[in-house]
């Protein structure tokens, strides 16, 4: 986790840039959910689109997706205050990257564990099939491209997590250095009290300076 530069910029600048992009994407996903719900599409719930979803299932699905996106957005906003408030404001963003990586891997086994606003392989394949007819060769190519893009997304999230942790340690080291600078040259002197100063004898005072 050492080092303060990545690619062509400082890790703080890179983390802030990733947080801005992350926030924009999450806001767009939230807007998409609200628009879809306002249009009252019954097939919104991607986890139950193959069968008629119960109202309670749809409400739970929508509410959890919105809550997850709000938490992701808040973690990105906290990064904006990390330069002034300290490294702990970067930590939620890093933890969200770990959560996204975990959900991405879990989505391979069960689509219900996927990221909010992100379609799984099965859902995307069905959407493409509705638009155009696909033979076995087309399905193979689609699967290959989906796998490549999925791995690129995973590697990108791992990279963002690594950069954010470097930013965390860089800010922590900067704060510790600032504390040492503020307290390193300080001298503690115990001054006598007022009563002790009055009781001092004349011989205790230093001799006056005389020129030779």
């Amino acid at each position: 986790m050492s080092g303060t530069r990545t690619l062509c910029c400082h890790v703080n600048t890179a983390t802030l840039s990733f947080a801005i992009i992350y926030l924009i994407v999450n806001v767009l996903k939230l807007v998409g959910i609200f628009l879809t719900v306002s249009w009252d599409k019954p097939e919104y719930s991607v986890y139950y689109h193959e069968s008629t979803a119960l109202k309670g299932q749809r409400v739970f699905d929508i509410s959890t997706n919105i809550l997850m996106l709000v938490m992701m957005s808040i973690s990105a906003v906290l990064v904006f205050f990390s330069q002034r408030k300290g490294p702990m404001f970067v930590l939620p963003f890093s933890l969200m990257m770990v959560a996204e990586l975990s959900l991405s891997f879990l989505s391979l086994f069960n689509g219900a564990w996927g990221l909010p606003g992100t379609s799984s392989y099965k859902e995307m394949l069905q959407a493409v099939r509705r638009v155009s007819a696909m033979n076995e060769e087309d399905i193979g190519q689609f699967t290959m491209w989906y796998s490549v893009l999925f791995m690129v997304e995973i590697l990108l999230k791992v990279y963002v997590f690594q950069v954010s942790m470097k930013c965390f340690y860089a800010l922590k080291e900067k704060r510790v250095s600032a504390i040492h600078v503020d307290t390193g040259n300080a001298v503690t002197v115990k001054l006598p009290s007022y009563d002790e100063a009055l009781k001092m004898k004349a011989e205790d005072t230093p001799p006056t300076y005389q020129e030779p």
Side-chain angles (χ1 to χ4, degrees):
M1 294 295 179
S2 60
T4 58
R5 297 193 66 83
T6 176
L7 295 180
C8 59
C9 61
H10 197 275
V11 289
N12 298 348
T13 305
T15 304
L16 183 60
S17 302
F18 288 138
I20 294 174
I21 298 174
Y22 192 69
L23 179 61
I24 293 174
V25 172
N26 289 331
V27 170
L28 292 177
K29 289 181 179 180
L30 279 172
V31 172
I33 290 177
F34 285 125
L35 289 178
T36 308
V37 172
S38 63
W39 293 336
D40 196 22
K41 287 187 176 182
E43 67 273 12
Y44 166 74
S45 181
V46 295
Y47 308 142
Y48 308 104
H49 68 278
E50 292 182 348
S51 59
T52 304
L54 299 176
K55 185 177 180 180
Q57 292 173 332
R58 293 187 67 243
V59 171
F60 177 77
D61 184 29
I62 295 171
S63 59
T64 52
N65 283 347
I66 292 176
L67 179 61
M68 185 68 177
L69 289 173
V70 169
M71 292 175 60
M72 292 176 178
S73 302
I74 292 175
S75 67
V77 172
L78 291 177
V79 177
F80 302 156
F81 304 95
S82 60
Q83 296 294 329
R84 289 173 24 179
K85 299 297 184 178
M88 295 303 296
F89 280 69
V90 182
L91 203 55
F93 182 72
S94 302
L95 294 177
M96 278 299 167
M97 288 293 105
V98 176
E100 283 208 12
L101 285 170
S102 302
L103 291 176
S104 297
F105 282 114
L106 288 175
S107 65
L108 296 175
F109 305 98
N110 190 352
W113 293 100
L115 293 172
T118 304
S119 301
S120 64
Y121 168 76
K122 187 176 181 180
E123 296 155 5
M124 293 185 64
L125 181 60
Q126 290 180 349
V128 173
R129 279 181 169 179
R130 285 196 295 265
V131 176
S132 61
M134 299 179 65
N135 52 31
E136 294 183 359
E137 183 179 356
D138 295 334
I139 295 176
Q141 291 181 352
F142 176 82
T143 304
M144 181 188 65
W145 281 109
Y146 181 87
S147 302
V148 171
L149 293 177
F150 181 81
M151 291 305 302
V152 170
E153 181 184 9
I154 292 296
L155 293 176
L156 180 60
K157 290 178 181 178
V158 171
Y159 176 71
V160 174
F161 170 74
Q162 183 183 12
V163 172
S164 62
M165 289 305 298
K166 284 185 177 180
C167 177
F168 171 79
Y169 286 110
L171 291 174
K172 186 177 180 180
E173 184 179 356
K174 180 180 178 181
R175 171 155 290 199
V176 172
S177 301
I179 293 175
H180 287 327
V181 169
D182 292 338
T183 60
N185 297 327
V187 178
T188 303
V189 179
K190 183 179 180 181
L191 298 176
S193 64
Y194 179 74
D195 295 335
E196 292 174 348
L198 292 178
K199 293 179 181 179
M200 285 183 177
K201 297 180 180 180
E203 55 270 16
D204 293 337
T205 59
T208 58
Y209 176 75
Q210 296 181 355
E211 296 182 1

